[in-house]
């Protein structure tokens, strides 16, 4: 159960896929209209341009080198022509749990009439709408409820695809499918900046700029606290599962969070942006004397060291375990996978509190807590 929950959060209903209503795959931006609509400073996965009063949104393919285009959307406010989308969208299906949080911050959950995997969602407003019949579950377990989708007729489907899956079922070919790829960003602020992407389809650009501006300001002010630190405790991440230990790559999102929080990540020199599978012995040899251990799970409100040790007795041989330096996030209780992408400043503060408590003496952690 835990395995399938994890897959949903990272790739929310990965089977709802792209389709046209836009330019074909592999097309290049019109080089005559390179006038940016807004200043996208951190996100690498999309760009925004204006052309003759219309908004062009380009989504890049993260699985190909360079700026290969995955899809292009042309947004208009009136009189859409073939292949254009009229905005603001009124009723949409959202199959990405992280985007639901962004839409809530923009005050747009009332526009969401369809979601996927309802049993995994913790958002109280969505749960209320489900109970009232205002929002319907339109997919679960890798299956699409075609009749429900066609009955509800959402103006678009927002989804988080993964490599190799870019086709919408033919029966849904009339519905624009809009990829939401925040999880491919390696910069914490880059992930949060995808709120600007969502806002484009609802006429909420100014609100998104304001929200992101506050996130950015707080994140950078926290990062400044650690910039000149000389003492940086060592840290590693993850757990042993099914014969492998998935370690965040040295160019990953988590690696940057550790660096910005004033820690020395043991795999900082690794070139990967995604997690890499290692055996237990490899991790133990490098991390056995590490100062801190970052861990996620759902073991009660605040699990004990005895509970963690009972999962695998070999864990007790790590210095971070013996000295009670595990930084733990209960993903269920905190709704971390739903809320975390839009709260990098809180995640950063949590880690600074753990690594350098003197810098934030009054701060109360939100997602990650240092287990006592």
């Amino acid at each position: 159960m835990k395995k399938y929950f994890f897959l949903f959060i990272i790739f929310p209903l990965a089977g709802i896929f792209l389709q046209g209503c836009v330019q074909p795959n592999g097309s290049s931006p019109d080089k005559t209209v390179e006038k940016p609509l807004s200043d996208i400073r951190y996100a690498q996965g999309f760009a925004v341009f204006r052309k003759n009063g219309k908004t062009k949104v380009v989504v890049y393919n993260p699985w190909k080198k360079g700026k290969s285009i995955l899809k292009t959307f042309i947004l208009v406010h009136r009189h859409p022509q073939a292949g254009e989308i009229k905005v603001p969208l009124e009723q949409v299906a959202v199959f990405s749990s992280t985007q639901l949080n962004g839409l809530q911050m923009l005050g747009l959950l009332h526009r969401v009439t369809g979601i996927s995997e309802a049993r995994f969602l913790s958002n109280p407003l969505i749960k209320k709408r489900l109970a009232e019949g205002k929002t319907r579950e339109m997919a679960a377990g890798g299956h699409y409820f075609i009749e429900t989708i066609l009955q509800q007729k959402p103006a678009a489907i927002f989804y988080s695809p993964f490599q190799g899956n870019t086709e919408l079922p033919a029966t849904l070919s009339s519905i624009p499918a809009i990829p939401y790829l925040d999880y491919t960003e390696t910069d914490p602020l880059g992930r949060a900046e995808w709120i600007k992407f969502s806002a484009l389809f609802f006429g909420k650009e100014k609100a998104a700029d304001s929200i992101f501006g506050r996130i950015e300001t707080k994140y950078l002010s926290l990062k400044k606290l650690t910039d000149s630190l000389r003492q940086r405790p060592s840290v590693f991440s993850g757990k042993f599962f099914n014969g492998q230990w998935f370690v965040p790559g040295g160019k990953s999102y988590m690696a940057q969070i550790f660096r910005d929080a004033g820690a020395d990540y043991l795999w900082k020199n690794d070139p990967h942006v995604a997690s890499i599978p290692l055996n237990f012995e490899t991790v133990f040899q490098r991390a056995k004397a590490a100062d801190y251990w970052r861990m996620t799970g759902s073991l009660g409100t605040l699990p004990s060291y005895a509970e963690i040790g009972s999962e695998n007795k070999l864990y007790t041989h790590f210095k971070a375990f013996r000295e009670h330096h595990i930084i733990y996030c209960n993903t269920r209780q905190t709704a971390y996978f739903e809320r975390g992408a839009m709260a990098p400043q809180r995640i950063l503060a949590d880690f600074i509190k753990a690594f350098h408590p003197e810098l934030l003496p009054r701060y109360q952690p939100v997602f990650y807590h240092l287990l006592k």
Side-chain angles (χ1 to χ4, degrees):
M1 179 63 182
K2 292 180 181 177
K3 179 180 179 182
Y4 292 111
F5 173 75
F6 176 79
L7 288 174
F8 160 71
I9 293 298
I10 300 300
F11 306 114
L13 200 73
I16 290 290
F17 311 120
L18 274 180
Q19 79 98 24
C21 122
V22 293
Q23 296 177 11
N25 291 350
S27 61
S28 299
D30 184 343
K31 297 302 182 180
T32 66
V33 293
E34 297 298 328
K35 181 180 179 181
L37 170 67
S38 59
D39 185 11
I40 308 301
R41 295 185 295 277
Y42 303 94
Q44 300 296 310
F46 73 97
V48 186
F49 307 92
R50 280 199 186 279
K51 179 181 178 180
N52 300 327
K54 299 179 181 181
T55 300
K56 181 171 70 171
V57 184
V58 175
V59 181
Y60 296 113
N61 190 329
W63 305 290
K64 292 185 178 181
K65 293 182 179 180
K67 287 292 185 179
S68 175
I69 292 177
L70 184 65
K71 193 62 66 172
T72 299
F73 300 93
I74 304 298
L75 311 182
V76 299
H77 289 279
R78 59 180 64 88
H79 309 307
Q81 300 178 14
E84 298 178 341
I85 298 177
K86 185 176 182 298
V87 294
L89 299 176
E90 294 297 330
Q91 295 185 341
V92 297
V94 178
F95 295 162
S96 164
S97 60
T98 58
Q99 191 183 25
L100 283 174
N101 186 53
L103 292 181
Q104 179 173 349
M105 294 167 72
L106 291 169
L108 293 170
L109 285 189
H110 63 286
R111 304 276 182 93
V112 179
T113 57
I115 52 91
S116 68
E117 305 287 4
R119 67 189 183 279
F120 293 130
L121 295 176
S122 61
N123 188 298
L125 293 179
I126 287 295
K127 286 187 173 182
K128 184 174 184 291
R129 287 182 60 83
L130 285 167
E132 295 172 347
K134 296 177 180 178
T135 296
R136 302 281 298 278
E137 185 176 43
M138 295 186 177
H143 299 285
Y144 319 111
F145 307 155
I146 302 296
E147 292 185 4
T148 301
I149 294 172
L150 293 178
Q151 276 182 351
Q152 297 296 311
K153 296 180 180 178
I157 294 173
F158 290 84
Y159 74 107
S160 292
F162 65 95
Q163 187 174 14
N165 290 274
T166 57
E167 295 296 330
L168 188 72
T171 49
L172 301 178
S173 61
S174 62
I175 303 175
I178 303 170
Y180 192 74
L181 295 167
D182 66 320
Y183 67 89
T184 65
E185 301 285 349
T186 59
D187 189 313
L189 288 174
R191 289 192 183 185
E193 200 164 25
W194 275 77
I195 195 171
K196 297 180 182 180
F197 177 85
S198 301
L200 291 165
F201 294 87
F202 298 93
K204 288 283 189 175
E205 292 96 323
K206 289 184 179 180
D209 288 343
S210 178
I211 291 169
F212 178 75
R214 292 193 295 272
I215 293 171
E216 178 189 30
T217 298
K218 184 62 177 178
Y219 189 97
L220 295 179
S221 69
L222 288 166
K223 179 180 178 296
K224 191 174 181 179
L225 293 176
T226 70
D227 282 345
S228 59
L229 289 176
R230 292 185 178 181
Q231 297 296 323
R232 291 178 172 260
S234 56
V235 63
F236 69 108
S237 179
K239 290 195 297 183
F240 191 62
F241 182 75
N242 280 352
Q244 291 182 313
W245 194 309
F246 284 91
V247 172
K251 304 299 182 183
S252 67
Y253 169 93
M254 190 52 61
Q256 180 165 330
I257 287 278
F258 288 149
R259 181 173 62 252
D260 292 347
D264 180 23
Y265 179 46
L266 294 181
W267 274 266
K268 64 184 177 184
N269 295 324
D270 175 85
H272 298 90
V273 298
S275 293
I276 53 175
L278 300 174
N279 58 42
F280 186 95
E281 292 75 14
T282 299
V283 175
F284 183 73
Q285 286 303 313
R286 183 175 292 189
K288 61 184 177 182
D291 298 310
Y292 289 90
W293 181 355
R294 173 253 183 181
M295 184 183 297
T296 62
S298 54
L299 295 174
T301 304
L302 282 177
S304 67
Y305 283 85
E307 190 174 9
I308 293 174
S310 67
E311 280 192 355
N312 190 326
K313 290 184 179 180
L314 294 176
Y315 290 164
T316 65
H317 297 292
F318 286 93
K319 173 188 172 183
F321 181 96
R322 297 195 308 270
E323 296 189 355
H324 287 197
H325 276 183
I326 289 179
I327 307 170
Y328 188 86
C329 173
N330 185 313
T331 56
R332 291 258 188 158
Q333 186 183 34
T334 62
Y336 174 72
F337 292 118
E338 292 179 49
R339 299 169 54 210
M342 290 296 161
Q345 78 283 15
R346 293 193 175 95
I347 297 173
L348 179 61
D350 288 352
F351 281 116
I352 292 175
K353 178 69 174 182
F355 298 137
H356 306 283
E358 71 282 359
L359 296 179
L360 297 173
R362 298 182 181 179
Y363 177 73
Q364 296 298 316
V366 176
F367 297 106
Y368 287 92
H369 297 75
L370 184 63
L371 296 184
K372 301 299 184 181

